[in-house]
mmCIF file with all atom_site columns, all heavy atoms in Angstrom:
data_model
loop_
_atom_site.group_PDB
_atom_site.id
_atom_site.type_symbol
_atom_site.label_atom_id
_atom_site.label_alt_id
_atom_site.label_comp_id
_atom_site.label_asym_id
_atom_site.label_entity_id
_atom_site.label_seq_id
_atom_site.pdbx_PDB_ins_code
_atom_site.Cartn_x
_atom_site.Cartn_y
_atom_site.Cartn_z
_atom_site.occupancy
_atom_site.B_iso_or_equiv
_atom_site.pdbx_formal_charge
_atom_site.auth_seq_id
_atom_site.auth_comp_id
_atom_site.auth_asym_id
_atom_site.auth_atom_id
_atom_site.pdbx_PDB_model_num
ATOM 1   N N   . GLU A 1 87  ? 128.043 92.399 119.726 1.00 0.00 ? 87  GLU A N   1
ATOM 2   C CA  . GLU A 1 87  ? 126.656 92.505 119.912 1.00 0.00 ? 87  GLU A CA  1
ATOM 3   C C   . GLU A 1 87  ? 125.970 91.248 119.414 1.00 0.00 ? 87  GLU A C   1
ATOM 4   O O   . GLU A 1 87  ? 124.998 90.776 120.197 1.00 0.00 ? 87  GLU A O   1
ATOM 5   C CB  . GLU A 1 87  ? 126.148 93.704 118.903 1.00 0.00 ? 87  GLU A CB  1
ATOM 6   C CG  . GLU A 1 87  ? 124.716 94.085 119.183 1.00 0.00 ? 87  GLU A CG  1
ATOM 7   C CD  . GLU A 1 87  ? 124.127 94.894 118.008 1.00 0.00 ? 87  GLU A CD  1
ATOM 8   O OE1 . GLU A 1 87  ? 124.951 95.472 117.298 1.00 0.00 ? 87  GLU A OE1 1
ATOM 9   O OE2 . GLU A 1 87  ? 122.858 94.782 117.726 1.00 0.00 ? 87  GLU A OE2 1
ATOM 10  N N   . ILE A 1 88  ? 126.330 90.581 118.403 1.00 0.00 ? 88  ILE A N   1
ATOM 11  C CA  . ILE A 1 88  ? 125.725 89.389 117.880 1.00 0.00 ? 88  ILE A CA  1
ATOM 12  C C   . ILE A 1 88  ? 125.907 88.290 118.840 1.00 0.00 ? 88  ILE A C   1
ATOM 13  O O   . ILE A 1 88  ? 125.074 87.454 119.005 1.00 0.00 ? 88  ILE A O   1
ATOM 14  C CB  . ILE A 1 88  ? 126.348 89.103 116.405 1.00 0.00 ? 88  ILE A CB  1
ATOM 15  C CG1 . ILE A 1 88  ? 125.844 90.160 115.465 1.00 0.00 ? 88  ILE A CG1 1
ATOM 16  C CG2 . ILE A 1 88  ? 125.755 87.752 115.979 1.00 0.00 ? 88  ILE A CG2 1
ATOM 17  C CD1 . ILE A 1 88  ? 126.702 90.320 114.157 1.00 0.00 ? 88  ILE A CD1 1
ATOM 18  N N   . MET A 1 89  ? 127.044 88.262 119.426 1.00 0.00 ? 89  MET A N   1
ATOM 19  C CA  . MET A 1 89  ? 127.362 86.953 120.267 1.00 0.00 ? 89  MET A CA  1
ATOM 20  C C   . MET A 1 89  ? 127.241 87.386 121.786 1.00 0.00 ? 89  MET A C   1
ATOM 21  O O   . MET A 1 89  ? 127.521 86.513 122.626 1.00 0.00 ? 89  MET A O   1
ATOM 22  C CB  . MET A 1 89  ? 128.880 86.706 120.041 1.00 0.00 ? 89  MET A CB  1
ATOM 23  C CG  . MET A 1 89  ? 129.169 86.068 118.601 1.00 0.00 ? 89  MET A CG  1
ATOM 24  S SD  . MET A 1 89  ? 128.203 84.682 118.160 1.00 0.00 ? 89  MET A SD  1
ATOM 25  C CE  . MET A 1 89  ? 128.880 83.491 119.237 1.00 0.00 ? 89  MET A CE  1
ATOM 26  N N   . SER A 1 90  ? 126.634 88.505 122.065 1.00 0.00 ? 90  SER A N   1
ATOM 27  C CA  . SER A 1 90  ? 126.453 88.845 123.419 1.00 0.00 ? 90  SER A CA  1
ATOM 28  C C   . SER A 1 90  ? 125.610 87.855 124.153 1.00 0.00 ? 90  SER A C   1
ATOM 29  O O   . SER A 1 90  ? 124.657 87.272 123.638 1.00 0.00 ? 90  SER A O   1
ATOM 30  C CB  . SER A 1 90  ? 125.733 90.251 123.509 1.00 0.00 ? 90  SER A CB  1
ATOM 31  O OG  . SER A 1 90  ? 125.283 90.454 124.802 1.00 0.00 ? 90  SER A OG  1
ATOM 32  N N   . SER A 1 91  ? 125.918 87.660 125.441 1.00 0.00 ? 91  SER A N   1
ATOM 33  C CA  . SER A 1 91  ? 125.147 86.701 126.350 1.00 0.00 ? 91  SER A CA  1
ATOM 34  C C   . SER A 1 91  ? 123.910 87.335 126.903 1.00 0.00 ? 91  SER A C   1
ATOM 35  O O   . SER A 1 91  ? 123.096 86.642 127.523 1.00 0.00 ? 91  SER A O   1
ATOM 36  C CB  . SER A 1 91  ? 126.033 86.197 127.461 1.00 0.00 ? 91  SER A CB  1
ATOM 37  O OG  . SER A 1 91  ? 126.619 87.310 128.196 1.00 0.00 ? 91  SER A OG  1
ATOM 38  N N   . ALA A 1 92  ? 123.745 88.663 126.655 1.00 0.00 ? 92  ALA A N   1
ATOM 39  C CA  . ALA A 1 92  ? 122.591 89.310 127.291 1.00 0.00 ? 92  ALA A CA  1
ATOM 40  C C   . ALA A 1 92  ? 121.283 88.965 126.544 1.00 0.00 ? 92  ALA A C   1
ATOM 41  O O   . ALA A 1 92  ? 121.342 88.843 125.401 1.00 0.00 ? 92  ALA A O   1
ATOM 42  C CB  . ALA A 1 92  ? 122.855 90.826 127.134 1.00 0.00 ? 92  ALA A CB  1
ATOM 43  N N   . PRO A 1 93  ? 120.174 88.802 127.208 1.00 0.00 ? 93  PRO A N   1
ATOM 44  C CA  . PRO A 1 93  ? 118.913 88.429 126.551 1.00 0.00 ? 93  PRO A CA  1
ATOM 45  C C   . PRO A 1 93  ? 118.439 89.457 125.522 1.00 0.00 ? 93  PRO A C   1
ATOM 46  O O   . PRO A 1 93  ? 118.673 90.710 125.954 1.00 0.00 ? 93  PRO A O   1
ATOM 47  C CB  . PRO A 1 93  ? 117.898 88.252 127.644 1.00 0.00 ? 93  PRO A CB  1
ATOM 48  C CG  . PRO A 1 93  ? 118.531 88.717 128.891 1.00 0.00 ? 93  PRO A CG  1
ATOM 49  C CD  . PRO A 1 93  ? 119.939 88.997 128.672 1.00 0.00 ? 93  PRO A CD  1
ATOM 50  N N   . ILE A 1 94  ? 117.900 89.068 124.506 1.00 0.00 ? 94  ILE A N   1
ATOM 51  C CA  . ILE A 1 94  ? 117.224 90.141 123.606 1.00 0.00 ? 94  ILE A CA  1
ATOM 52  C C   . ILE A 1 94  ? 115.875 89.720 123.256 1.00 0.00 ? 94  ILE A C   1
ATOM 53  O O   . ILE A 1 94  ? 115.483 88.524 123.293 1.00 0.00 ? 94  ILE A O   1
ATOM 54  C CB  . ILE A 1 94  ? 118.069 90.297 122.289 1.00 0.00 ? 94  ILE A CB  1
ATOM 55  C CG1 . ILE A 1 94  ? 118.412 88.921 121.572 1.00 0.00 ? 94  ILE A CG1 1
ATOM 56  C CG2 . ILE A 1 94  ? 119.320 91.196 122.481 1.00 0.00 ? 94  ILE A CG2 1
ATOM 57  C CD1 . ILE A 1 94  ? 119.015 89.146 120.159 1.00 0.00 ? 94  ILE A CD1 1
ATOM 58  N N   . ASP A 1 95  ? 115.107 90.590 122.784 1.00 0.00 ? 95  ASP A N   1
ATOM 59  C CA  . ASP A 1 95  ? 113.615 90.428 122.429 1.00 0.00 ? 95  ASP A CA  1
ATOM 60  C C   . ASP A 1 95  ? 113.431 89.819 121.030 1.00 0.00 ? 95  ASP A C   1
ATOM 61  O O   . ASP A 1 95  ? 112.503 88.960 120.837 1.00 0.00 ? 95  ASP A O   1
ATOM 62  C CB  . ASP A 1 95  ? 112.819 91.788 122.501 1.00 0.00 ? 95  ASP A CB  1
ATOM 63  C CG  . ASP A 1 95  ? 112.694 92.131 123.958 1.00 0.00 ? 95  ASP A CG  1
ATOM 64  O OD1 . ASP A 1 95  ? 112.875 91.313 124.854 1.00 0.00 ? 95  ASP A OD1 1
ATOM 65  O OD2 . ASP A 1 95  ? 112.495 93.437 124.257 1.00 0.00 ? 95  ASP A OD2 1
ATOM 66  N N   . THR A 1 96  ? 114.380 90.168 120.212 1.00 0.00 ? 96  THR A N   1
ATOM 67  C CA  . THR A 1 96  ? 114.119 89.728 118.824 1.00 0.00 ? 96  THR A CA  1
ATOM 68  C C   . THR A 1 96  ? 113.862 88.206 118.651 1.00 0.00 ? 96  THR A C   1
ATOM 69  O O   . THR A 1 96  ? 114.550 87.445 119.330 1.00 0.00 ? 96  THR A O   1
ATOM 70  C CB  . THR A 1 96  ? 115.500 90.251 117.935 1.00 0.00 ? 96  THR A CB  1
ATOM 71  O OG1 . THR A 1 96  ? 115.961 91.379 118.508 1.00 0.00 ? 96  THR A OG1 1
ATOM 72  C CG2 . THR A 1 96  ? 115.232 90.282 116.442 1.00 0.00 ? 96  THR A CG2 1
ATOM 73  N N   . ASP A 1 97  ? 113.047 87.821 117.679 1.00 0.00 ? 97  ASP A N   1
ATOM 74  C CA  . ASP A 1 97  ? 112.788 86.364 117.307 1.00 0.00 ? 97  ASP A CA  1
ATOM 75  C C   . ASP A 1 97  ? 114.133 85.883 116.893 1.00 0.00 ? 97  ASP A C   1
ATOM 76  O O   . ASP A 1 97  ? 114.792 86.486 116.070 1.00 0.00 ? 97  ASP A O   1
ATOM 77  C CB  . ASP A 1 97  ? 111.826 86.363 116.264 1.00 0.00 ? 97  ASP A CB  1
ATOM 78  C CG  . ASP A 1 97  ? 111.582 85.149 115.550 1.00 0.00 ? 97  ASP A CG  1
ATOM 79  O OD1 . ASP A 1 97  ? 112.028 84.112 116.143 1.00 0.00 ? 97  ASP A OD1 1
ATOM 80  O OD2 . ASP A 1 97  ? 110.921 85.062 114.572 1.00 0.00 ? 97  ASP A OD2 1
ATOM 81  N N   . PRO A 1 98  ? 114.585 84.660 117.353 1.00 0.00 ? 98  PRO A N   1
ATOM 82  C CA  . PRO A 1 98  ? 115.856 84.175 116.958 1.00 0.00 ? 98  PRO A CA  1
ATOM 83  C C   . PRO A 1 98  ? 116.197 84.179 115.556 1.00 0.00 ? 98  PRO A C   1
ATOM 84  O O   . PRO A 1 98  ? 117.379 84.493 115.134 1.00 0.00 ? 98  PRO A O   1
ATOM 85  C CB  . PRO A 1 98  ? 115.957 82.760 117.645 1.00 0.00 ? 98  PRO A CB  1
ATOM 86  C CG  . PRO A 1 98  ? 114.936 82.719 118.691 1.00 0.00 ? 98  PRO A CG  1
ATOM 87  C CD  . PRO A 1 98  ? 113.957 83.829 118.354 1.00 0.00 ? 98  PRO A CD  1
ATOM 88  N N   . ALA A 1 99  ? 115.237 83.701 114.731 1.00 0.00 ? 99  ALA A N   1
ATOM 89  C CA  . ALA A 1 99  ? 115.480 83.600 113.355 1.00 0.00 ? 99  ALA A CA  1
ATOM 90  C C   . ALA A 1 99  ? 115.524 84.927 112.562 1.00 0.00 ? 99  ALA A C   1
ATOM 91  O O   . ALA A 1 99  ? 115.864 84.928 111.461 1.00 0.00 ? 99  ALA A O   1
ATOM 92  C CB  . ALA A 1 99  ? 114.307 82.790 112.628 1.00 0.00 ? 99  ALA A CB  1
ATOM 93  N N   . ALA A 1 100 ? 115.243 85.983 113.376 1.00 0.00 ? 100 ALA A N   1
ATOM 94  C CA  . ALA A 1 100 ? 115.336 87.357 112.703 1.00 0.00 ? 100 ALA A CA  1
ATOM 95  C C   . ALA A 1 100 ? 116.411 88.238 113.191 1.00 0.00 ? 100 ALA A C   1
ATOM 96  O O   . ALA A 1 100 ? 116.470 89.313 112.951 1.00 0.00 ? 100 ALA A O   1
ATOM 97  C CB  . ALA A 1 100 ? 113.856 88.135 112.940 1.00 0.00 ? 100 ALA A CB  1
ATOM 98  N N   . ARG A 1 101 ? 117.350 87.534 114.078 1.00 0.00 ? 101 ARG A N   1
ATOM 99  C CA  . ARG A 1 101 ? 118.358 88.353 114.592 1.00 0.00 ? 101 ARG A CA  1
ATOM 100 C C   . ARG A 1 101 ? 119.362 88.615 113.540 1.00 0.00 ? 101 ARG A C   1
ATOM 101 O O   . ARG A 1 101 ? 119.494 88.004 112.413 1.00 0.00 ? 101 ARG A O   1
ATOM 102 C CB  . ARG A 1 101 ? 119.166 87.421 115.646 1.00 0.00 ? 101 ARG A CB  1
ATOM 103 C CG  . ARG A 1 101 ? 118.392 87.180 116.938 1.00 0.00 ? 101 ARG A CG  1
ATOM 104 C CD  . ARG A 1 101 ? 119.341 86.281 117.826 1.00 0.00 ? 101 ARG A CD  1
ATOM 105 N NE  . ARG A 1 101 ? 118.484 85.802 118.916 1.00 0.00 ? 101 ARG A NE  1
ATOM 106 C CZ  . ARG A 1 101 ? 118.829 84.587 119.585 1.00 0.00 ? 101 ARG A CZ  1
ATOM 107 N NH1 . ARG A 1 101 ? 119.849 83.852 119.127 1.00 0.00 ? 101 ARG A NH1 1
ATOM 108 N NH2 . ARG A 1 101 ? 118.072 84.276 120.570 1.00 0.00 ? 101 ARG A NH2 1
ATOM 109 N N   . LYS A 1 102 ? 120.276 89.642 113.905 1.00 0.00 ? 102 LYS A N   1
ATOM 110 C CA  . LYS A 1 102 ? 121.300 90.096 112.993 1.00 0.00 ? 102 LYS A CA  1
ATOM 111 C C   . LYS A 1 102 ? 122.183 88.932 112.672 1.00 0.00 ? 102 LYS A C   1
ATOM 112 O O   . LYS A 1 102 ? 122.552 88.161 113.774 1.00 0.00 ? 102 LYS A O   1
ATOM 113 C CB  . LYS A 1 102 ? 122.152 91.205 113.747 1.00 0.00 ? 102 LYS A CB  1
ATOM 114 C CG  . LYS A 1 102 ? 122.354 92.399 112.977 1.00 0.00 ? 102 LYS A CG  1
ATOM 115 C CD  . LYS A 1 102 ? 123.018 93.309 113.927 1.00 0.00 ? 102 LYS A CD  1
ATOM 116 C CE  . LYS A 1 102 ? 123.638 94.598 113.284 1.00 0.00 ? 102 LYS A CE  1
ATOM 117 N NZ  . LYS A 1 102 ? 124.246 95.379 114.240 1.00 0.00 ? 102 LYS A NZ  1
ATOM 118 N N   . ASP A 1 125 ? 118.209 79.581 115.064 1.00 0.00 ? 125 ASP A N   1
ATOM 119 C CA  . ASP A 1 125 ? 119.376 80.243 114.462 1.00 0.00 ? 125 ASP A CA  1
ATOM 120 C C   . ASP A 1 125 ? 120.595 79.367 114.452 1.00 0.00 ? 125 ASP A C   1
ATOM 121 O O   . ASP A 1 125 ? 121.087 79.069 115.564 1.00 0.00 ? 125 ASP A O   1
ATOM 122 C CB  . ASP A 1 125 ? 119.750 81.517 115.134 1.00 0.00 ? 125 ASP A CB  1
ATOM 123 C CG  . ASP A 1 125 ? 120.848 82.382 114.622 1.00 0.00 ? 125 ASP A CG  1
ATOM 124 O OD1 . ASP A 1 125 ? 121.393 81.831 113.590 1.00 0.00 ? 125 ASP A OD1 1
ATOM 125 O OD2 . ASP A 1 125 ? 121.215 83.343 115.140 1.00 0.00 ? 125 ASP A OD2 1
#
Side-chain angles (χ1 to χ4, degrees):
E87 184 196 339
I88 296 161
M89 296 302 291
S90 166
S91 57
I94 50 166
D95 289 338
T96 325
D97 170 14
R101 284 177 198 158
K102 235 175 163 179
D125 176 2

